[in-house]
Amino acid sequence: MPEISDLKLERYALGELPAAERHAIEALLKTDPALRERLNALEASNAAILRKTPPEIFAARLASRQRREAAESAMRARPDSSSALGFAAWKPLLGGLALLAVLAVPVSRTGLLGPRPGLGVSETEIRGVPASSLPEPPASTPATRGSPAAPSAPPGSPEPAPPAADPSGVAATTPAPDEGGVRLKGLEPHLAIFRKTPAGSEPLHPGQKTRPGEVLRIGYQSAGFPYGAILSVDGNGNVTRHWPASGERAARLEGGEALLPSSFELDAAPDYERFYFVVSKKPFALDPLLRSLHEHESLPEPGKALAGKEIRIVRFELLKETGI
Amino acid sequence: MDTRNLEEWYRRYGPLVQRRCFQLLRDDEEAQDALQEVFMQILRRPELLEAEFASSLLYKIATNTCLNRLRGRNRRAETRDEALLLNIASEEDVEGRSASARLLDRIFGRHPESTRVMAVLHFVDGLTLEEVARETSLSVSGVRKRLRALKQTAEAGEAAHA
């Protein structure tokens, strides 16, 4: 007599077996006390699980988890009003602020992407950047999404270098990587994503709607984590490496804020574009991350599965309007 | 999916998913978390539960979710089954690293099922090749071929680490 698998028994209990298989199990149940016992145990387990976590409690927990994840994502990723990485439209707005910062507080403690609300002040100073030094995105020649035109590590390099210093760029104004891998207390790594507009650019927030053809540029705050990677997966399951563009290991990050050296154009993939910024104190291989994205279109929950390994995962999801 | 629907789906399928997650993870708290993760995936694609046999779909989503978690675990297996499970979890699917097919579409039957899930169904859960083939919309020979390839990569990996 063939062993009835747990899956088959589960499906029988739920009434989801095809008629022939259902009848076969019903016949077996009359003659096989062990199978009857398994079914009874399954039904008792159902009741115990629902008693322990009733549906309304589960639904509330799930709603809470959704809110928490959305809030965490927004906290990590939302650029504040001084988040002017890269695009010209923010120069007029920031000019005054930056000038004030330069004149009144020669060394800003917040940096371009700003402090995260409620997270305190960094112990390590990060220089503010005058608005006039903000780089222009190469919007006239954006890379196709999936192959951002970023510099790659030289052959044989153990890990990719930080984003190349843009002649007018942020990279040149940010501090050197924290060689000891000492994190900046109170500062969290996060992403900032900007969209090109006719007038210049605008920062995007998690959950914001975007369209195919729009040109985006990514910036990050490493918060002192020396190694990292920026990847994304779209609604078709296609995975894109934004940084580093090549190599098998995570890139060496700028010690504070940096703007990736190229912009890219969104393609027509539907539903969403989900970005991940993974940082670590130690070098790490990209392959497991890429595999996870290929297989699951996601990475482990931020701060959960990789806890204790000094790895942080930041997620930033944009929605896509494809007109379908 | 509104709250009432969610509660109904959980009432119907939550225990199945919870049991499956606990069976693979052997940790009640982590199983609870994995259960939520599975339903979060469903919230993003509620139409998946319109499938004729949603239990089968959820079972496989739960399996995949747990394998993903097991892959990140750094501990020694206590039983032979657990060792087998951890081995499967640590393997990459033999369909290749560059595969970009969507997981849920694969599970939904439009694309080949994850070989790792097939391996768990066969080697750990004891489903016959015919049953695995039915669950994954593949031919028996297709399942056999994929499992053989996974076994070979696993053995090659073990030899490399020996």
Side-chain angles (χ1 to χ4, degrees):
Chain A
M1 184 185 305
E3 175 77 11
I4 302 298
S5 69
D6 288 342
L7 175 56
K8 186 177 271 192
L9 201 58
E10 294 273 10
R11 291 177 62 188
Y12 172 79
L14 286 164
E16 293 192 0
L17 269 185
E21 293 181 63
R22 188 176 69 246
H23 293 147
I25 288 193
E26 281 166 354
L28 274 175
L29 284 169
K30 289 175 185 166
T31 58
D32 185 347
L35 184 62
R36 167 61 64 187
E37 198 171 313
R38 281 176 64 197
L39 183 62
N40 291 343
L42 190 152
E43 287 167 350
S45 167
N46 281 352
I49 287 169
L50 293 175
R51 201 165 45 242
K52 185 177 178 186
T53 309
E56 60 276 14
I57 300 294
F58 179 78
R61 283 180 186 166
L62 210 62
S64 170
R65 179 169 175 161
Q66 277 185 299
R67 283 194 299 273
R68 188 176 67 245
E69 288 184 3
E72 285 172 357
S73 180
M75 284 279 284
R76 280 191 297 272
R78 183 185 297 121
D80 66 12
S81 60
S82 65
S83 300
L85 277 179
F87 287 164
W90 292 89
K91 285 185 180 179
L93 175 64
L94 280 162
L97 290 175
L99 185 61
L100 276 176
V102 170
L103 291 177
V105 187
V107 180
S108 160
R109 283 172 171 263
T110 62
L112 281 173
L113 300 181
R116 309 326 304 151
L119 291 175
V121 176
S122 157
E123 287 184 345
T124 302
E125 293 168 337
I126 300 174
R127 279 173 288 161
V129 180
S132 58
S133 72
L134 294 174
E136 293 289 341
S140 57
T141 55
T144 304
R145 197 194 60 76
S147 58
S152 57
S157 175
E159 71 246 0
D166 186 300
S168 60
V170 171
T173 64
T174 49
D178 189 341
E179 291 295 332
V182 179
R183 291 209 317 103
L184 308 182
K185 188 179 177 183
L187 191 64
E188 291 295 310
H190 55 280
L191 282 178
I193 301 179
F194 300 87
R195 173 166 58 189
K196 185 180 186 307
T197 66
S201 70
E202 62 181 358
L204 296 175
H205 304 300
Q208 197 160 341
K209 291 178 179 174
T210 57
R211 287 180 165 278
E214 289 183 334
V215 176
L216 306 184
R217 193 164 181 184
I218 301 173
Y220 67 78
Q221 163 60 265
S222 69
F225 283 94
Y227 299 95
I230 301 174
L231 312 166
S232 72
V233 59
D234 67 22
N236 282 334
N238 294 314
V239 176
T240 299
R241 293 174 55 147
H242 295 275
W243 193 256
S246 63
E248 295 180 353
R249 303 184 70 75
R252 186 85 177 171
L253 298 175
E254 293 292 337
E257 298 154 346
L259 189 68
L260 297 193
S262 64
S263 55
F264 62 96
E265 185 175 317
L266 283 173
D267 64 16
D271 301 333
Y272 61 83
E273 186 81 28
R274 186 177 298 145
F275 296 86
Y276 285 98
F277 181 31
V278 182
V279 296
S280 172
K281 282 184 174 180
K282 297 177 181 173
F284 58 94
L286 296 178
D287 188 58
L289 302 177
L290 292 167
R291 263 189 285 149
S292 181
L293 285 175
H294 280 305
E295 291 174 6
H296 307 290
E297 299 176 20
S298 64
L299 294 180
E301 293 301 321
K304 181 72 182 175
L306 301 172
K309 292 189 176 179
E310 298 300 335
I311 290 179
R312 299 287 183 88
I313 298 177
V314 174
R315 184 170 55 192
F316 191 119
E317 184 169 311
L318 296 172
L319 301 179
K320 294 282 287 293
E321 285 183 325
T322 51
I324 296 173
Chain B
M1 184 186 291
D2 61 26
T3 304
R4 180 179 293 179
N5 279 341
L6 174 61
E7 290 179 18
E8 285 173 8
W9 285 115
Y10 168 75
R11 193 189 310 276
R12 182 167 173 75
Y13 296 113
L16 175 154
V17 176
Q18 164 78 22
R19 260 193 304 279
R20 179 56 165 171
C21 292
F22 182 77
Q23 181 191 14
L24 298 179
L25 298 170
R26 297 286 168 197
D27 181 290
D28 191 50
E29 193 176 333
E30 197 171 2
Q32 289 273 355
D33 204 52
L35 164 71
Q36 287 187 18
E37 193 176 329
V38 170
F39 272 81
M40 291 285 280
Q41 293 179 56
I42 296 300
L43 283 177
R44 288 192 281 270
R45 296 281 302 278
E47 72 276 11
L48 291 173
L49 289 185
E50 303 302 323
E52 190 179 0
F53 301 123
S55 56
S56 194
L57 173 71
L58 281 164
Y59 198 81
K60 286 180 281 183
I61 293 178
T63 302
N64 234 327
T65 300
C66 293
L67 284 174
N68 204 32
R69 286 169 175 252
L70 287 169
R71 193 203 285 264
R73 277 194 183 175
N74 185 22
R75 67 182 179 84
R76 187 167 295 177
E78 292 174 3
T79 66
R80 191 175 170 188
D81 268 3
E82 194 179 4
L84 178 60
L85 197 58
L86 291 174
N87 270 343
I88 293 169
S90 67
E91 285 304 315
E92 63 181 87
D93 271 337
V94 292
E95 52 266 32
R97 298 178 180 195
S98 61
S100 60
R102 308 180 66 177
L103 169 70
L104 295 178
D105 280 347
R106 283 203 305 257
I107 290 171
F108 213 31
R110 292 179 212 148
H111 297 283
E113 180 58 75
S114 155
T115 304
R116 292 189 314 164
V117 171
M118 290 195 284
V120 175
L121 292 176
H122 182 60
F123 295 121
V124 180
D125 298 336
L127 268 67
T128 63
L129 290 176
E130 289 74 14
E131 287 174 322
V132 175
R134 256 202 315 276
E135 288 297 329
T136 56
S137 305
L138 281 177
S139 65
V140 172
S141 63
V143 170
R144 188 181 290 114
K145 188 175 166 188
R146 296 269 291 274
L147 292 181
R148 191 183 300 136
L150 187 77
K151 200 174 172 189
Q152 282 169 353
T153 57
E155 286 170 354
E158 282 177 13
H161 287 99

